[in-house]
């Protein structure tokens, strides 16, 4: 029996995975390969945004980059459209499709469909389609643009185009993948015939002793006893959630404790809280931004933390960081939105669910002041059975074996 050939298309490379979309996409590719499928992944992206890429990945030309410079929050839209409009990207992707002859094409998030649809029409090809939805994108995009005060005529038109594409792709795809029950319901409402729930997950955490030791010495030198860790990419909802639930006024953090910010989101705070105001100086006495880290160094940091903070204020889908926090064994302080699709663990020991910013800050103080009640072995096994990638993606792999 011939192996199922799947061509995956996204707007970011996965050779080095840092943000949630990259991690989920790479996990899906690896799950397909483990199931015996023949898989190729093509990213259409801007070189300056990602230092590493794969051999099939396609870099957009200057004309697309100019659009991204004007509207940086629409970059994924322009990369998706470039599949059809970019004079370099279009023939190269067409050549990959012709040579690979995929049985199915999987679109990671909706943006690739904007250009793929006319390309497939021009090639007179109609492979099966898999829509791998990470979120309800048009709603998230509209929120980001409104918060950035960039909701001009171009943004309005593009958000409408994203919504139309999401609704159409959900209706025509042979399989639609959702990350949460709420998203699955929305996608079914768009007309999806076959919706598979495959929640976000995480790989096992295996911190190396030298990386744990590095952070222990780092904080010992600063006489920091306990710290809460916030890990996030440079994505507007991430710093918006932090400012809403934690705030830039962090005098509530005990003097011997810290909040540590890891990942690209730290750039926002360094740019906006420049110590020109007294509140900024207080912020940086209680907060440390350690930047983007290697996976090994990040795992060492997670293992050293007293609590993981999940100040997620908006958005759909489910959050990889919640899976990571749960499997870490650390105390977890999260919003109700952070536990979307992980509700069954909300009552576990050491888990704090905060409905208001005041409750979030109080829970953070508690998590940094007392030793949490440790979860039982049975509880930790139950978490692993849900949040590790093989378990999360098993329904998707099974669905493709049955339906394709």
């Amino acid at each position: 029996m011939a192996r199922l050939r799947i061509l995956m298309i996204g707007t970011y490379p996965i050779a080095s995975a840092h943000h949630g979309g990259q991690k989920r996409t790479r996990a899906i590719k690896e799950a397909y390969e483990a199931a015996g499928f023949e898989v190729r992944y093509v990213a259409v992206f801007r070189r300056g945004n990602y230092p590493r890429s794969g051999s099939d990945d396609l870099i957009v030309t200057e004309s697309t980059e100019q659009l991204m410079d004007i509207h940086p929050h629409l970059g994924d839209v322009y990369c998706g459209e470039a599949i059809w409009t970019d004079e370099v990207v279009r023939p190269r992707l067409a050549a990959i499709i012709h040579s690979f002859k995929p049985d199915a094409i999987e679109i990671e998030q909706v943006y690739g469909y904007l250009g793929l649809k006319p390309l497939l029409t021009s090639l007179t090809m109609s492979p099966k389609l898999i829509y791998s939805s990470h979120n309800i994108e048009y709603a998230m995009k509209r929120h980001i643009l409104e918060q950035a005060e960039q909701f001009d005529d171009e943004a309005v038109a593009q958000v409408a185009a994203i919504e139309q594409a999401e609704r159409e792709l959900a209706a025509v795809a042979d399989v639609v993948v959702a990350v949460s029950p709420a998203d699955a319901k929305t996608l079914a409402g768009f007309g999806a015939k076959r919706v598979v729930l495959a929640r976000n997950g995480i790989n096992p955490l295996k911190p190396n002793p030298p990386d744990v030791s590095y952070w222990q010495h780092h904080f010992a030198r600063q006489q920091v006893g306990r710290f809460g860790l916030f890990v996030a990419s440079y994505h507007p909802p991430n710093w918006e959630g932090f400012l809403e639930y934690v705030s830039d006024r962090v005098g509530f953090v005990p003097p011997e404790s810290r909040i540590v910010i890891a990942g690209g989101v730290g750039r926002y705070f360094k740019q906006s809280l420049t110590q020109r105001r007294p509140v900024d100086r207080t912020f940086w006495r209680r907060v440390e931004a350690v930047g983007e880290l290697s996976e090994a160094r990040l795992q060492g940091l997670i293992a050293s933390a007293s609590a993981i903070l999940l100040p997620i204020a908006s958005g759909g889908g489910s959050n990889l960081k919640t899976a990571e926090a749960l499997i870490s064994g650390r105390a977890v302080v999260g919003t109700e939105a952070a536990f979307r699709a992980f509700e069954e663990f909300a009552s576990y020991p050491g888990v704090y669910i905060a409905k208001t910013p005041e409750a979030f800050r109080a829970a953070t103080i508690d998590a940094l002041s007392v030793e949490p009640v440790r979860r039982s072995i049975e509880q930790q096994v139950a978490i692993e059975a849900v949040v590790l990638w093989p378990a999360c993606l098993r329904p998707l792999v099974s669905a493709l074996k049955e339906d394709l």
Side-chain angles (χ1 to χ4, degrees):
M1 182 177 177
R3 292 198 297 168
L4 184 67
R5 294 188 304 277
I6 300 177
L7 177 64
M8 301 173 65
I9 295 175
T11 55
Y12 37 73
I14 59 173
S16 178
H18 295 287
H19 65 64
Q22 291 175 298
K23 290 182 177 181
R24 179 175 175 84
T25 300
R26 187 157 79 176
I28 290 173
K29 182 175 183 291
E30 291 173 350
Y32 288 165
E33 291 169 338
F37 302 163
E38 188 175 351
V39 190
R40 289 175 72 172
Y41 177 75
V42 176
V44 179
F45 71 107
R46 182 178 189 169
R47 166 61 74 190
N49 292 349
Y50 299 97
R52 292 184 59 193
S53 57
S55 58
D56 285 330
D57 292 342
L58 305 174
I59 300 168
V60 299
T61 56
E62 185 178 355
S63 60
T64 302
E65 290 186 351
Q66 289 172 348
L67 294 172
M68 297 170 73
D69 288 337
I70 297 170
H71 276 285
H73 292 304
L74 292 172
D76 39 19
V77 177
Y78 297 132
C79 286
E81 291 177 337
I83 290 173
W84 177 246
T85 61
D86 193 300
E87 295 298 329
V88 173
V89 171
R90 183 176 64 247
R92 290 181 180 175
L93 182 56
I96 290 172
I97 294 173
H98 272 303
S99 64
F100 187 52
K101 296 181 175 58
D103 300 302
I105 295 180
E106 177 164 316
I107 297 100
E108 294 296 328
Q109 300 179 286
V110 71
Y111 303 106
Y113 185 65
L114 297 171
L116 183 66
K117 179 185 175 182
L119 178 61
L120 290 177
T121 299
S122 73
L123 298 174
T124 62
M125 297 180 69
S126 54
K128 292 182 180 295
L129 294 178
I130 304 164
Y131 175 24
S132 180
S133 173
H134 296 210
N135 211 319
I136 305 304
E137 295 296 332
Y138 82 89
M140 174 65 78
K141 187 65 70 179
R142 181 171 57 202
H143 172 77
I144 291 172
L145 291 163
E146 288 174 343
Q147 291 298 108
E149 298 182 350
Q150 294 181 0
F151 205 55
D152 57 13
D153 290 344
E154 169 69 0
V156 170
Q158 291 292 5
V159 168
I162 296 167
E163 181 178 5
Q164 180 181 345
E166 280 189 287
R167 290 178 177 275
E168 180 179 315
L169 181 54
V172 303
D174 297 273
V175 176
V176 176
V177 191
V179 298
S180 72
D183 281 10
K185 183 177 180 180
T186 299
L187 292 162
F190 289 170
K193 301 180 290 292
R194 177 76 156 96
V195 182
V196 178
L197 177 61
R199 294 190 285 191
N200 274 326
I202 197 72
N203 289 319
L205 295 180
K206 298 179 180 179
N208 298 316
D211 292 297
V212 177
S213 179
Y214 171 88
W215 292 112
Q216 289 174 340
H217 287 113
H218 174 85
F219 292 111
R221 288 194 298 269
Q222 301 179 50
Q223 297 183 316
V224 173
R226 300 168 68 84
F227 68 90
L229 176 61
F230 173 53
V231 184
S233 64
Y234 191 82
H235 182 50
N238 292 332
W239 66 70
E240 290 166 6
F242 186 96
L243 291 173
E244 179 176 347
Y245 281 90
V246 179
S247 169
D248 60 353
R249 298 177 182 271
V250 293
F252 67 88
V253 177
E256 71 282 0
S257 299
R258 292 290 184 275
I259 291 176
V260 176
I261 298 174
V265 72
R267 297 203 310 274
Y268 168 82
F269 296 103
K270 289 183 176 180
Q271 292 164 0
S272 61
L273 305 178
T274 59
Q275 303 195 40
R276 294 174 182 170
R277 306 174 300 162
V279 67
D280 295 352
R281 291 191 288 274
T282 299
F283 184 89
W284 292 116
R285 283 195 291 269
R286 294 289 194 273
V287 175
E288 180 179 1
V290 297
E292 297 189 54
L293 305 171
S294 68
E295 188 63 29
R297 194 52 57 91
L298 177 60
Q299 290 200 20
L301 184 61
I302 292 169
S304 304
S306 300
I308 310 298
L309 307 183
L310 303 170
I312 299 169
S314 62
S318 61
N319 198 283
L320 275 77
K321 295 305 175 188
T322 306
E324 187 174 68
L326 285 167
I327 205 169
S328 74
R330 310 294 95 188
V332 183
V333 181
T335 61
E336 289 184 306
F339 274 80
R340 188 185 299 108
F342 298 105
E343 291 87 355
E344 65 262 48
F345 305 120
S347 61
Y348 272 34
V351 174
Y352 302 79
I353 307 297
K355 295 183 179 180
T356 66
E358 293 75 17
F360 194 98
R361 291 189 278 273
T364 299
I365 294 171
D366 194 32
L368 294 177
S369 301
V370 301
E371 287 289 338
V373 178
R374 295 297 179 185
R375 296 169 203 131
S376 67
I377 293 175
E378 291 78 13
Q379 288 171 328
Q380 197 63 22
V381 169
I383 289 172
E384 292 178 3
V386 170
V387 307
L388 292 179
W389 279 123
C392 293
L393 298 178
R394 191 173 297 118
L396 172 57
V397 172
S398 297
L400 298 196
K401 287 181 176 179
E402 293 171 4
D403 296 350
L404 301 184

